[in-house]
Amino acid sequence: MDGTLQVKTTAHPETDALTVDALEGLSQPQKTLSPKWLYDHTGSALFERITQLPEYYPTRTEAGILRDNAAALAGLVPNGGALVELGSGASVKTRTLLDAGAHFGAYVPIDISRDFLFETADDLAQRYPALTITPVVADFTGPVALPPTLAQTPKVGFFPGSTIGNLVPERAQALLAGARNWDGIEAFILGADMVKDTHDLIAAYDDAQGVTAQFISNILVRLNREAGADFDLSAFAYRASWDPELARIDMALVSLRDQSVTLAGEVIAFRDQEPIHVSAARKYTPQSLALLAHSAGWEVATRHTDADDRFSVVVLTPRD
């Protein structure tokens, strides 16, 4: 393979899509905003800061698991095969596999943040000149069209960071089922955070420096900038809470007073202490993770974890 950077794009999310999605979510009895809109350039950079916070154990723990098992995980990709990553961000953890995967033919990072994706792809093209890097701008929570030039190339999927836990169960199942139907798919490497002490969980999503609060609040900044909304950021506060029944952390922006906000000519009323649900982070047990995989046409072939079983990197293989 040569070291050229091949670019494959889909339509970049338009402002009207953001506006329509926000209006729909904010018109519900339980107001919501989709977490996919968190990841503009600023949001992507803020998330990378979160991964460096002392409270945010998932990144460090998963990175250690990947380092300890890099050879085995990279070995899942056949010679000349492609590693396809959903929600690639800065591809920081991916580099552990790329360093161990000199035999890889291609790397396909998929992300919704176009500018951030291309910046990362350019950096990787310089670091791995023998690897064909084909970035795809897409919302991985929906159908993803992989590059047709790689249609016949054997593939291994990669979805680290426990981002699977940010999806509602139906969407998580649909994502895994969609990957199961990729041409040439041979395995799927999935990172998943495990159920643990509630204090540790909440601290990871409500850091002392307030970076997570800034990250979640960035969705209001984006609506003001791109959709002409008039959210007063000082009138909303970030809140993280644990839902034991659903085994998830909920992240919300709470109105601090009775107020009204205008978005695309529509007036949206908020009560004092009314939340906007922005994101959730579901946690798993080995049993619930295996059940999710099985329902999407996979089986757990291998589970790699840390000494305290705080995080899992599982290898899924197609189920007959």
Side-chain angles (χ1 to χ4, degrees), residues 290-307:
L291 183 62
L292 170 63
H294 190 272
S295 69
W298 300 91
E299 60 183 3
V300 177
T302 311
R303 187 170 83 94
H304 303 285
T305 188
D306 58 290

Side-chain angles (χ1 to χ4, degrees), residues 236-292:
F236 290 86
Y238 172 67
R239 183 178 70 197
S241 59
W242 171 248
D243 185 329
E245 182 176 347
L246 296 177
R248 74 183 194 189
I249 292 283
D250 286 310
M251 288 158 273
L253 295 168
V254 180
S255 177
L256 298 179
R257 62 172 186 259
D258 291 337
Q259 59 178 310
S260 295
V261 173
T262 301
L263 172 61
E266 298 289 332
V267 177
I268 303 163
F270 291 87
R271 302 184 307 276
D272 183 29
Q273 299 303 305
E274 183 177 8
I276 307 172
H277 188 274
V278 180
S279 186
R282 187 175 299 272
K283 308 303 174 184
Y284 295 91
T285 64
Q287 295 76 21
S288 65
L289 190 57
L291 183 62
L292 170 63

Side-chain angles (χ1 to χ4, degrees), residues 191-204:
D193 198 15
M194 310 305 285
V195 173
K196 60 184 66 64
D197 178 75
T198 303
H199 177 270
D200 291 344
L201 285 168
I202 293 179

Side-chain angles (χ1 to χ4, degrees), residues 175-187:
L175 181 146
L176 292 177
R180 172 67 179 83
N181 291 324
W182 290 344
D183 289 337
I185 189 68
E186 299 202 354

Side-chain angles (χ1 to χ4, degrees), residues 29-43:
Q30 163 62 74
K31 291 182 172 67
T32 62
L33 288 170
S34 173
K36 72 183 181 182
W37 301 113
L38 292 167
Y39 294 94
D40 60 355
H41 192 278
T42 299

